[in-house]
């Protein structure tokens, strides 16, 4: 658009400025989340990749908010190339494990905002804690024997008991029985 100021005073004098050109942008920038995908699980650092563009005035910034209602993590994404990909590194240190909302907020140079890219991620900064119930250290056992352990974590994928004497390895998959994991060794060839 071209804009000119025309000013009149009461004496009939007129002042007309030179034309200036402005860009009128009322459209939200486009943005979509490339990575991560919905309900991915992370421990430690993880990449966040966003595709964002605005063909009228360009992208001013891309911000990623990760929240679970009580904790808020905010990351500013950077664009290191001429492509429309913005990157940030998320971190799980210092947070409680759980489900978090990840929202991408894209702002263009006309201050239009798009905050529609929203997914759920699972952040789990802690390793599972495992404790033997049976056997205890230095026990002598006979077969069949039931190995039993408690394992605590917000998201347990599986529990296995790895048995080795230096020459042979045996792996038994644990079965969750009311919060305790059991596996039975029937023979040394299991």
């Amino acid at each position: 658009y071209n804009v000119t100021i025309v000013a009149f005073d009461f004496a009939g004098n007129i002042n007309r400025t030179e034309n200036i050109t402005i860009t009128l942008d009322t459209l939200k920038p486009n943005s979509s989340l490339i990575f991560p995908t919905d309900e991915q699980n992370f421990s430690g650092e993880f990449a966040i990749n966003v595709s964002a563009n605005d063909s009228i005035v360009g992208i001013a910034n891309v911000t990623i908010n990760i929240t679970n209602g009580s904790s808020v993590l905010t990351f500013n994404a950077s664009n290191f190339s001429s492509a429309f990909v913005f990157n940030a590194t998320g971190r799980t240190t210092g947070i409680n494990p759980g489900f978090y909302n990840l929202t991408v907020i894209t702002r263009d140079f006309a201050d239009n905002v798009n905050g529609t890219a929203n997914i759920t991620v699972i952040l789990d900064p802690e390793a599972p804690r495992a404790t033997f119930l049976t056997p205890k250290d230095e026990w002598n056992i006979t077969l069949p024997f039931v190995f039993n352990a408690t394992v605590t974590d917000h998201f347990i994928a599986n529990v296995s008991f790895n048995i080795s004497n230096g020459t042979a390895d045996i792996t038994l998959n644990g079965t969750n029985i009311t919060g305790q994991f059991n596996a039975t060794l029937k023979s040394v060839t299991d």
Side-chain angles (χ1 to χ4, degrees):
Y1 290 89
N2 293 317
V3 180
T4 303
I5 300 173
V6 180
F8 300 89
D9 65 14
F10 288 111
N13 298 314
I14 300 173
N15 183 6
R16 183 181 308 257
T17 64
E18 62 185 77
N19 285 338
I20 62 169
T21 303
I22 63 167
T23 302
L24 181 60
D25 180 6
T26 60
L27 302 175
K28 294 179 182 180
N30 297 313
S31 68
S32 63
L33 200 53
I34 299 169
F35 186 84
T37 58
D38 198 29
E39 296 195 8
Q40 272 192 284
N41 193 329
F42 296 101
S43 178
E45 291 187 350
F46 59 97
I48 302 168
N49 306 113
V50 176
S51 172
N53 67 33
D54 185 286
S55 60
I56 300 173
V57 296
I59 299 296
N61 64 15
V62 175
T63 304
I64 292 99
N65 285 337
I66 301 176
T67 181
N68 68 353
S70 61
S71 297
V72 177
L73 307 169
T74 301
F75 305 99
N76 291 316
S78 300
N79 181 334
F80 294 110
S81 68
S82 61
F84 299 113
V85 177
F86 291 76
N87 302 303
T89 301
R91 293 174 183 80
T92 62
T93 53
I95 64 157
N96 292 322
F99 291 87
Y100 285 76
N101 293 319
L102 186 150
T103 305
V104 175
I105 302 163
T106 306
R107 183 180 312 276
D108 68 14
F109 283 107
D111 212 28
N112 297 309
V113 176
N114 183 345
T116 59
N118 187 334
I119 63 167
T120 298
V121 291
I122 303 163
L123 303 182
D124 187 5
E126 301 172 359
R129 291 177 288 287
T131 305
F132 272 108
L133 297 174
T134 59
K136 299 293 184 190
D137 194 27
E138 302 291 330
W139 272 20
N140 295 315
I141 64 170
T142 59
L143 300 180
F145 184 81
V146 177
F147 290 87
N148 183 269
T150 58
V151 180
T152 57
D153 191 80
H154 283 71
F155 311 101
I156 298 172
N158 71 321
V159 173
S160 61
F161 295 85
N162 298 319
I163 305 161
S164 175
N165 67 0
T167 58
D169 295 324
I170 300 170
T171 300
L172 302 173
N173 291 320
T175 302
N176 187 353
I177 300 174
T178 62
Q180 295 180 6
F181 289 83
N182 296 329
T184 302
L185 179 63
K186 297 176 186 167
S187 71
V188 289
T189 58
D190 276 358

